Amino acid sequence: MKPSSWLAIAAALVAVLLVPPLLTPGSEADEGSQIRSLRVLVPNAPGGGYDITARTATKAMEDADLLGNAEVFNLPGAGGTVGLGRTVAERGNGKLVMSMGLGVVGSVFTNKSPSSLLDTTPVAKLIEESDIVVVGKDSPYQNIGQLLDAWKRDPGAVQVGGGSSPGGPDHLAPMLMAKAIGLAPKTVNYVQYDGGGELLASVLGGKVAFGVSGVGEYRDQIAAGTLRVLAVTSEKRLPGIDAPTLTESGVDVKFTNWRGIVAPPGITESDRAKLVSLFERLQKTPQWQEALQRNGWTGAFAPGEQFGSFLKEENTRVATVLKELGLA
């Protein structure tokens, strides 16, 4: 080979070594500011509110190219406290988060959980959602007045099902309803299910007189006419839901559920900042805005430390309510 050829090859090798590679979205260059993969633990069964929220949020992230890959997995049990215990045990793991909400706050007290949400790293509060009072299409109760009359006549015979354990939103809402109409909460025949997915079959099959759950979990069944909404727990009527509020119906109860995201304790400040940023960017995507509207959710974003302060307040509030109801 001629000397000039050797020189050409050497020059080419030097150029390759000295010129940095082209960077593409998702390459190692943006590892410092973005999360490319994430595991999301859902502490109740498939089809429940935490499950729907987690899967909706991660799909919106993937569709908006905010996240390369997400794995959503379910670890149900004890009203969400099994999943909470697992999350706390994953100390330092910045690639895992848990979808959660008001139900887990209450379950910590009623299940005497050794782990608390105050042990986790708060990432973001995402949504607020009204609960609904629902019956199957074949139910004898055509309106909320008929249901309340039957309930007052014989509280024990009118079973209410909810997708959360005692202390969760689907439990607290009917307890507050009972108190408002003069029933002692301890007389309420509450049947616990692990999420709205499990509750649905019992409502449709008439195994419980009525169910209380989040509106987003049953939109399809309501639209199809297999479920009938008798009332909503929100302050105002809900768009697309032909049902009065409880206050309109003479029941002085206004109740709103919420959901958010926490991470294990002990994660680095860098990982915490990445997670908060990921959910901040989610809020601005058309995919997430469409999901809020489709599910009847109200955006209620509160990042990081702001969410942490909210969790402390909710912890105190729920403990107080449970004591007032004689349930803790």
Side-chain angles (χ1 to χ4, degrees), residues 35 38 93-97 121 123-124 263-264 267 270-280:
I35 296 172
L38 189 66
N93 185 352
K95 297 296 177 65
L96 172 75
V97 296
T121 300
V123 175
I267 65 174
S270 173
D271 282 343
R272 188 196 69 82
K274 287 183 205 176
L275 288 169
V276 172
S277 174
L278 176 64
F279 285 93
E280 280 180 332

Side-chain angles (χ1 to χ4, degrees), residues 18-327:
L18 292 180
V19 177
L22 291 174
L23 302 178
T24 59
S27 70
E28 291 298 319
D30 59 11
E31 282 290 314
S33 61
Q34 291 190 0
I35 296 172
R36 300 314 304 169
S37 63
L38 189 66
R39 300 188 77 215
V40 184
L41 187 157
V42 175
N44 65 2
Y50 303 148
D51 186 70
I52 293 171
T53 304
R55 295 182 191 279
T56 301
T58 53
K59 186 175 189 309
M61 288 175 181
E62 291 172 342
D63 290 347
D65 293 326
L66 300 181
L67 187 65
N69 178 61
E71 177 196 353
V72 179
F73 66 102
N74 299 79
L75 185 62
T81 57
V82 171
L84 172 61
R86 164 71 178 275
T87 301
V88 172
E90 289 279 339
R91 185 177 186 85
N93 185 352
K95 297 296 177 65
L96 172 75
V97 296
M98 183 178 83
S99 175
M100 47 68 71
L102 177 57
V104 180
V105 178
S107 293
V108 166
F109 293 105
T110 57
N111 287 289
K112 296 179 171 54
S113 170
S115 299
S116 162
L117 284 167
L118 302 183
D119 298 326
T120 66
T121 300
V123 175
K125 178 185 174 190
L126 295 180
I127 65 163
E128 290 180 349
E129 178 185 40
S130 169
D131 265 2
I132 50 176
V133 178
V134 293
V135 295
K137 64 180 179 63
D138 298 324
S139 168
Y141 305 118
Q142 299 296 315
N143 56 60
I144 188 67
Q146 292 176 351
L147 173 62
L148 295 178
D149 287 344
W151 203 14
K152 284 186 280 189
R153 281 195 306 270
D154 191 350
V158 180
Q159 289 185 317
V160 50
S164 56
S165 64
D170 300 351
H171 174 253
L172 288 176
M175 292 300 167
L176 293 170
M177 287 170 58
K179 185 179 179 183
I181 63 173
L183 295 178
K186 289 186 177 180
T187 68
V188 175
N189 189 351
Y190 179 77
V191 182
Q192 171 188 337
Y193 295 88
D194 198 353
E198 288 191 3
L199 170 63
L200 179 61
S202 289
V203 174
L204 291 175
K207 293 181 180 178
V208 292
F210 68 103
V212 177
S213 191
V215 62
E217 297 172 62
Y218 293 156
R219 281 274 179 181
D220 292 343
Q221 290 78 15
I222 294 166
T226 55
L227 283 180
R228 182 162 61 247
V229 183
L230 301 186
V232 298
T233 67
S234 52
E235 185 175 357
K236 298 179 181 178
R237 290 195 177 208
L238 299 178
I241 302 294
D242 184 21
T245 65
L246 287 172
T247 50
E248 277 182 74
S249 310
V251 183
D252 188 17
V253 172
K254 297 172 187 174
F255 185 87
T256 303
N257 188 15
W258 58 265
R259 298 195 192 105
I261 300 291
V262 296
I267 65 174
T268 65
E269 178 56 31
S270 173
D271 282 343
R272 188 196 69 82
K274 287 183 205 176
L275 288 169
V276 172
S277 174
L278 176 64
F279 285 93
E280 280 180 332
R281 285 179 286 141
L282 171 67
Q283 307 307 305
K284 302 172 185 177
T285 65
Q287 290 88 346
W288 180 245
Q289 293 303 314
E290 188 276 331
L292 293 177
Q293 184 175 3
R294 183 177 70 249
N295 288 289
W297 296 338
T298 300
F301 184 68
E305 293 180 2
Q306 187 179 339
F307 182 39
S309 297
F310 174 80
L311 279 178
K312 291 177 183 176
E313 292 170 1
E314 285 292 270
N315 208 57
T316 301
R317 182 179 75 88
V318 169
T320 301
V321 170
L322 288 173
K323 287 177 182 175
E324 288 176 352
L325 295 174
L327 302 170

